[in-house]
């Protein structure tokens, strides 16, 4: 089913119902991306929504009414709500809604891949509101969040949370790029989390965060927070592996945690507040912790002598790297370096559900110059392609042509980010976001 080019205004409800073996596909026309201006409620089942844009053109971004459902603000009704099993959201551009997307336990086996999500939310008198992905899940269902670019929400980028009775199980967050969430609310409110989880009285279990790039480029606010501040201990494996985390991280109580081969770095243009780069809540120091925390790299500012915070049995202390290893046994194969140190991360993330398409991300301490990504896993010789920066998706390609295996150089410096509808970004803040591009075969 093809969605024709045009702008469609309103809050739409889809009850399309396919089958497990024959899902329905709703795809945007090739000529230009169709736009839904309003909201989308997804019911039915077994349907893929591919390659169109969802946004709200309403200019009101502030309200004097506190809370998550303020009266008189149209944007709170402009979001994507998934209440159906086996839905795929692929290659969508989602911006300037209230919450970009909510998917609770009814959205069984949801897949979100290759979506560009930005500038969602609003400002209230209490705080900034509006998240990128707001997720809950109950086993045996599994939610897969992969290869998305999530930046500049008014509040959190990816949120796995809910009321005290929400189920928060079996969510796989892999190969996403999420950065500078909270930026549109500056200077009235501060930065928010790029990824956040908070458990309640129900079970938190079996969460994985693999190969994500999470960056706060201009502030040392917590960018990654898992079950900290008093949540019930999680069970099942919590796996945090091969990620880049720039900005403070907090990891709370969990039975069965693997934290391996990550880069933890501070924003080097940020003021030093004397806060740790990594905060850990643990019920006890045990052998499994020793085995599971390994091969992590930490990059800190020169004056930050104690980059670790550690709480065991209600007792809180701050530690140097040597003390961290001695007292916990963790990171015996880890390392620490003082900035500036030459470190960079470049990844080409092929999108499994969208052949011929990939997200390219480059991060470095200086975020200057250029870099050369590997496109050989994405493009075939003789294939036509185009590359655009995610800040300028509607503009002309930065690079286009026929792929012959040639090296392609891209700038590590990003163009200006798009302003939210009805509000301007505070550009007095010097940010160094990762450079993120979308490559598409034609």
């Amino acid at each position: 089913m093809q969605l024709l080019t045009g702008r469609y205004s309103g809050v739409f409800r889809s009850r399309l119902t396919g089958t497990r073996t024959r899902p329905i596909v709703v795809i945007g026309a090739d000529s230009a991306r169709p736009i839904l201006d309003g909201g989308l409620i997804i019911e039915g089942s077994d349907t893929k929504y591919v390659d169109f844009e969802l946004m709200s053109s309403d200019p009101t971004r502030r309200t004097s009414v506190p809370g998550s459902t303020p009266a008189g603000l149209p944007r709170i009704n402009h979001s994507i709500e998934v209440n159906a099993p086996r839905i795929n959201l692929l290659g969508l551009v989602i911006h300037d809604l209230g919450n970009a997307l909510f998917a609770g336990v009814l959205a069984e086996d949801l897949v979100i891949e290759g979506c560009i999500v930005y500038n969602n939310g609003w400002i209230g008198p209490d705080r900034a509101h509006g998240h990128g992905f707001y997720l809950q899940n109950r086993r045996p269902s599994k939610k897969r969040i992969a290869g998305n670019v999530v930046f500049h929400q008014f509040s959190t980028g990816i949120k796995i949370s809910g009321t005290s009775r929400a189920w928060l199980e079996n969510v796989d967050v892999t190969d996403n790029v999420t950065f500078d969430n909270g930026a549109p609310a500056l200077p009235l409110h501060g930065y928010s989390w790029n990824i956040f989880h908070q458990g309640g009285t129900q079970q938190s279990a079996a969460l994985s965060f693999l190969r994500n790039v999470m960056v706060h480029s201009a502030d040392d606010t917590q960018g990654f927070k898992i079950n900290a501040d008093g949540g019930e201990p999680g069970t099942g494996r919590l796996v945090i592996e091969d990620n880049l985390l720039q900005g403070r991280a907090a990891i709370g109580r969990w039975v069965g945690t693997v934290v391996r081969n990550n880069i933890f770095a501070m924003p080097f243009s940020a003021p030093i507040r004397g806060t740790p780069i990594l905060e850990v809540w643990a019920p006890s120091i045990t052998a499994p912790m020793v085995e599971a925390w390994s091969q992590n790299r930490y990059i800190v500012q020169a004056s930050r002598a104690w980059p670790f915070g550690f709480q065991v049995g209600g007792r809180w202390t701050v530690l140097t790297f040597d003390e961290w290893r001695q007292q916990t046994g963790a990171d015996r194969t880890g390392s620490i370096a003082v900035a500036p140190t030459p470190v960079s991360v470049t990844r080409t993330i092929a999108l499994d559900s969208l052949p011929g398409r990939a997200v390219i991300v480059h991060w470095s301490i200086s975020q200057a110059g250029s870099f050369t990504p590997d496109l050989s896993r994405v493009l075939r010789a003789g294939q036509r392609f185009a590359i655009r920066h995610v800040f300028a998706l509607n503009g002309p390609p930065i690079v286009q042509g026929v792929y012959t295996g040639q090296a392609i150089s891209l700038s590590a410096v990003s163009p200006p980010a798009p302003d939210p509808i009805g509000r301007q970004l505070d550009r007095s803040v010097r940010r160094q976001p990762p450079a993120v591009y979308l490559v598409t075969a034609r």
Side-chain angles (χ1 to χ4, degrees), residues 111-122:
V111 175
I112 308 174
E113 185 171 9
C115 296
I116 312 298
V117 184
Y118 62 95
N119 287 352
N120 297 287
W122 71 93

Side-chain angles (χ1 to χ4, degrees), residues 10-11 35-41 53-58 60-61 73-81 92-102 116-123 129-133 152-155 420-421:
V11 176
I35 298 171
L36 298 189
D37 185 349
L40 176 62
I41 300 169
E53 183 173 338
L54 300 105
M55 52 81 71
S56 172
S57 60
D58 185 87
T60 306
R61 300 309 286 247
L73 186 71
R75 185 161 269 101
I76 65 170
N77 298 312
H78 296 169
S79 64
I80 305 168
E81 184 176 332
L92 303 178
V93 177
I94 307 169
H95 66 97
D96 291 286
L97 298 176
N99 283 310
L101 177 142
F102 174 77
I116 312 298
V117 184
Y118 62 95
N119 287 352
N120 297 287
W122 71 93
I123 294 173
H129 296 262
H131 315 298
F133 301 146
H152 287 190
Q153 316 317 312
F154 280 61
S155 189
I421 291 171

Side-chain angles (χ1 to χ4, degrees), residues 133-332:
F133 301 146
Y134 194 157
L135 307 171
Q136 299 163 5
N137 195 59
R138 186 174 185 179
R139 290 184 289 190
S141 165
K142 183 173 184 177
K143 284 184 169 63
R144 179 171 172 265
I145 314 301
N148 303 285
V149 183
V150 183
F151 64 94
H152 287 190
Q153 316 317 312
F154 280 61
S155 189
T156 305
I158 299 174
K159 183 173 184 177
I160 305 170
S161 187
T163 68
S164 63
R165 298 183 59 81
W167 292 90
L168 310 173
E169 306 177 308
N170 226 21
V171 181
D172 175 20
V173 181
T174 296
D175 286 328
N176 300 280
V177 182
T178 177
F179 59 93
D180 287 343
N181 289 289
L186 295 174
L188 298 173
H189 302 284
Y191 282 94
S192 188
W193 298 279
N194 291 315
I195 292 181
F196 173 92
H197 162 274
Q198 184 65 60
T201 57
Q202 298 286 21
Q203 190 175 42
S204 290
L207 302 183
S208 59
F209 302 89
L210 308 175
R211 301 188 302 275
N212 300 286
V213 173
M214 298 170 264
V215 171
H216 270 326
S217 66
D219 189 272
D220 69 350
T221 300
Q222 281 181 3
F224 180 71
K225 184 174 183 178
I226 303 297
N227 209 39
D229 294 344
E232 290 295 313
T235 62
R237 281 167 67 86
L238 167 65
V239 181
I240 303 167
E241 191 165 8
D242 294 321
N243 301 283
L244 165 69
L245 303 100
Q246 186 178 26
R248 291 191 293 125
I251 301 171
R253 297 179 296 165
W254 206 285
V255 179
T257 303
V258 175
V259 182
R260 182 186 296 129
N261 201 36
N262 302 284
I263 297 174
F264 293 88
M266 291 304 295
F268 307 110
S269 61
I272 298 172
R273 300 178 181 174
T275 49
I277 186 174
L278 176 63
E279 302 170 12
V280 178
W281 281 255
S284 63
I285 299 173
T286 61
M289 178 177 178
V290 174
E291 296 168 2
W293 290 69
S294 63
Q295 298 175 289
N296 297 296
R297 300 170 63 191
Y298 302 91
I299 304 170
V300 298
Q301 295 166 320
S303 58
R304 193 177 295 269
W306 33 266
F308 298 90
F310 194 62
Q311 185 182 109
V312 176
R315 182 186 174 201
W316 178 261
T317 186
V318 290
L319 307 172
T320 66
F321 184 55
D322 287 341
E323 291 169 340
W324 162 255
R325 294 199 291 183
Q326 291 166 5
Q327 294 189 29
T328 68
D331 278 317
R332 289 175 177 171

